[in-house]
Amino acid sequence: MTEAAIFLDRDGVINRRRLDHVRSWADFEFLPGSLDGLREITRVGAPVVLVTNQSAVGRGLLSEADLGAIHQRMRNVISAAGGRIDAIYACLHTTGSGCDCRKPAPGLLKRAAVDLKLQIETSVLVGDSASDLEAAEAAGCAAILVADERPNGLDPAVATVSDLRQAADVIARHLKRLDPRC
């Protein structure tokens, strides 16, 4: 049986995006509303899957083990706040590597859908960039943009929210439309 999932980008959605990359736990800063949002998203009941580009590994700025340690600490804090991340899929390649997993390519979402038996067409991706929105479109799922203001020309079907807490409300409505029993 397949089910809808909630795909989340990391940098700019859960934690503050840094131009010099998150290279250690000391660099990781949860965004306002993200822990509350993750708690609310968890209550929806759908699998929560992190899909993130992490080219800092491919560039040698941190190791894959260091990235894993950051993600484990992130998951521990999220869990202590009442939320959860069920799985993490990360592209470790650099821009221009030609891989199929670096967003805007849909590879991370498609791999998660196969591994976790998810129905991608009823799923939603929450991201903060054009590449996130393009990955959602390429994969065939709905998208929510986390941004301070709605960009001109954005597809009207894409909701724009200021933080993950607001995204949780949009996600709940999206899944309720698909299955009124939710």
Side-chain angles (χ1 to χ4, degrees), residues 133 145 150-158 160:
L133 301 180
L145 178 66
R150 188 174 181 81
N152 289 332
L154 183 64
D155 180 342
V158 176
T160 303

Side-chain angles (χ1 to χ4, degrees), residues 132-148:
D132 294 323
L133 301 180
E134 291 170 27
E137 183 177 2
C141 68
I144 298 171
L145 178 66
V146 175
D148 291 329

Side-chain angles (χ1 to χ4, degrees), residues 61-139:
L61 300 175
L62 78 155
S63 70
E64 193 170 347
D66 291 338
L67 178 64
I70 291 167
H71 284 162
Q72 187 56 53
R73 290 188 71 177
M74 175 193 71
R75 286 172 110 169
N76 291 345
V77 172
I78 290 168
S79 179
R84 73 172 198 284
I85 301 285
D86 296 305
I88 297 175
Y89 288 78
C91 173
L92 309 180
H93 305 107
T94 58
T95 304
S97 67
C99 68
D100 71 343
C101 58
R102 184 170 178 78
K103 294 177 288 175
L108 292 177
L109 287 88
K110 288 183 175 185
R111 189 174 321 134
V114 169
D115 292 351
L116 305 172
K117 297 176 179 44
L118 304 172
Q119 186 175 34
I120 209 162
E121 301 81 17
T122 57
S123 297
V124 63
L125 180 138
V126 181
D128 71 316
S129 69
S131 66
D132 294 323
L133 301 180
E134 291 170 27
E137 183 177 2

